[in-house]
């Protein structure tokens, strides 16, 4: 009886130890990630050319290693650095890169760099970004960088697209945040202030000219109205003079006569209508 108990206990211990040290395990590859199988022993040791899909992957932990790489969009905010234009002006750049990894290139990336993604970002990718800015800046003057920011950043993005893309890093977006040197910043501010002052003076001149035109137009209108009124009165007077005749005057006098002859100082009455028959 005791012997059977001892055998049972030993068997249980052996099973537990076997389960504890058995090499088979699994890895859950989450969505947005891919895993690569690495053979640790044998003639084909190294990175397999097989990209494992998402899901649960079984493997022998004694002979195989599974490395998981994210393929969703990564956002890396790099430390600022200084670039120099071809006229020796120094600009501060604070880049922020958004990218993702081509799943088919994951084995190649691991085989080439043998580093976790975080280390690749702060090593190869960081140096590539800095070099892209420095190369492009050497073809621009300080003034052209500020006046052609879009062209400058497009050239940097083209360099990054080619350099990173060939290794499987797919460029999505880059924010440069370029800051000019203080002296150039002051010149730009003064230039902008001068332009604003000139525009303000031009607007004021245009406004004054418009107001003067309104005043002139009103004066011309009043003058024309006065002239038209004077002409109308003159023409009316001429018409009145042409229509007033002696006969018309006598008729008007008769129409208004009350029958009493006007008295003179001699005491007699004299008819003012002469020649009336």
């Amino acid at each position: 009886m005791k012997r059977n108990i001892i055998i049972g206990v030993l068997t249980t211990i052996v099973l537990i130890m076997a389960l504890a040290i058995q090499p088979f395990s699994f890895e859950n590859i989450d969505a947005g990630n891919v895993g690569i199988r690495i053979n640790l022993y044998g003639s084909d040791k190294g990175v397999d050319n097989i990209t494992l899909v998402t899901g649960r992957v079984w493997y022998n932990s004694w002979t195989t290693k599974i490395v998981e790489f994210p393929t969703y969009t990564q956002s890396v905010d790099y430390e600022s650095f200084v670039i120099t234009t071809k006229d020796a002006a120094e600009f501060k750049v604070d880049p922020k890169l958004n990218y993702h990894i081509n799943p088919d290139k994951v084995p190649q990336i691991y085989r080439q760099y043998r580093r976790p993604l975080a280390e690749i970002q702060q090593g190869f990718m960081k140096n590539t970004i800095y070099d892209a800015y420095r190369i492009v800046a050497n073809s621009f003057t300080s003034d052209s960088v500020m006046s052609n920011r879009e062209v400058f950043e497009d050239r940097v993005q083209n360099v990054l697209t080619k350099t990173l893309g060939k290794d499987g890093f797919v460029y999505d977006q880059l924010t440069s945040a370029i800051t000019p040197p203080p002296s150039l910043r002051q010149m730009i501010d003064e230039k902008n202030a001068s332009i604003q002052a000139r525009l303000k003076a031009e607007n004021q001149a245009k406004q004054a000219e418009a107001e003067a035109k309104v005043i002139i137009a009103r004066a011309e209108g009043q003058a024309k109205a006065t002239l038209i009124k004077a002409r109308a009165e003159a023409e009316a007077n001429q018409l009145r003079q042409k229509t007033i005749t002696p006969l018309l005057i006598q008729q008007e006098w008769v129409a208004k006569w009350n029958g009493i002859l006007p008295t003179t100082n001699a005491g007699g009455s004299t008819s003012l209508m002469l020649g009336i028959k």
Side-chain angles (χ1 to χ4, degrees):
M1 191 75 177
K2 291 182 179 180
R3 184 170 177 273
N4 291 336
I5 294 174
I6 293 173
I7 293 174
V9 171
L10 291 175
T11 303
T12 304
I13 294 174
V14 170
L15 290 174
I16 293 174
M17 292 178 63
L19 291 174
I21 63 175
Q22 62 87 22
F24 297 101
S25 182
F26 65 89
E27 184 77 21
N28 287 321
I29 309 299
D30 298 329
N33 297 266
V34 294
I36 55 175
R37 186 190 304 272
I38 303 173
N39 294 323
L40 303 177
Y41 300 98
S43 60
D44 59 345
K45 63 181 179 180
V47 181
D48 285 347
N49 291 323
I50 300 174
T51 300
L52 303 178
V53 295
T54 59
R56 177 171 295 182
V57 180
W58 289 90
Y59 65 99
N60 187 334
S61 62
W62 290 357
T63 61
T64 307
K65 179 180 179 181
I66 300 296
V67 177
E68 190 173 359
F69 263 77
T71 55
Y72 55 86
T73 299
Q74 303 288 314
S75 181
V76 188
D77 192 357
Y78 290 100
E79 295 180 357
S80 60
F81 63 101
V82 175
I83 58 175
T84 305
T85 59
K86 64 180 180 180
D87 56 348
E90 293 184 344
F91 285 76
K92 181 181 177 182
V93 181
D94 188 7
K96 184 176 182 179
L97 175 67
N98 292 336
Y99 76 98
H100 67 275
I101 293 178
N102 182 353
D104 296 333
K105 293 290 186 71
V106 170
Q108 174 185 330
I109 292 173
Y110 188 83
R111 184 185 300 111
Q112 181 173 353
Y113 297 103
R114 300 284 179 156
R115 295 286 186 276
L117 184 58
E119 293 184 17
I120 297 175
Q121 290 176 168
Q122 296 301 323
F124 161 73
M125 296 182 66
K126 178 180 178 180
N127 294 333
T128 300
I129 292 172
Y130 285 15
D131 288 343
Y133 275 104
R134 292 189 177 108
I135 292 171
V136 174
N138 287 332
S139 63
F140 280 78
T141 62
S142 56
D143 289 339
S144 61
V145 170
M146 298 308 299
S147 58
N148 299 281
R149 285 279 296 275
E150 185 175 352
V151 176
F152 177 85
E153 294 185 356
D154 284 345
R155 292 188 183 180
V156 173
Q157 293 171 7
N158 290 336
V159 173
L160 291 178
T161 300
K162 294 178 181 179
T163 307
L164 297 177
K166 67 181 181 180
D167 288 333
F169 303 97
V170 183
Y171 164 88
D172 291 329
Q173 184 181 12
L174 178 69
T175 304
S176 298
I178 302 176
T179 304
S183 57
L184 182 59
R185 179 77 266 174
Q186 182 178 357
M187 292 175 59
I188 294 173
D189 292 341
E190 291 176 352
K191 181 179 179 180
N192 291 336
S194 177
I195 293 174
Q196 292 176 359
R198 177 172 58 81
L199 293 176
K200 182 178 180 180
E202 291 177 355
N203 291 334
Q204 290 177 343
K206 290 179 180 179
Q207 183 178 357
E209 182 180 357
E211 292 175 354
K213 288 182 179 179
V214 172
I215 294 174
I216 292 173
R218 289 177 180 174
E220 289 179 349
Q222 292 177 354
K224 288 181 180 179
T226 302
L227 181 60
I228 292 173
K229 183 178 180 181
R231 287 177 179 174
E233 291 179 353
E235 291 177 357
N237 290 335
Q238 290 178 359
L239 183 60
R240 292 191 190 98
Q241 290 176 0
K242 290 180 181 180
T243 55
I244 296 176
T245 60
L247 180 60
L248 180 60
I249 293 174
Q250 290 179 0
Q251 289 177 350
E252 289 291 330
W253 192 89
V254 170
K256 296 180 180 180
W257 185 44
N258 55 8
I260 301 175
L261 294 175
T263 302
T264 63
N265 293 331
S269 296
T270 304
S271 174
L272 296 178
M273 293 190 303
L274 299 178
I276 301 177
K277 297 180 179 180

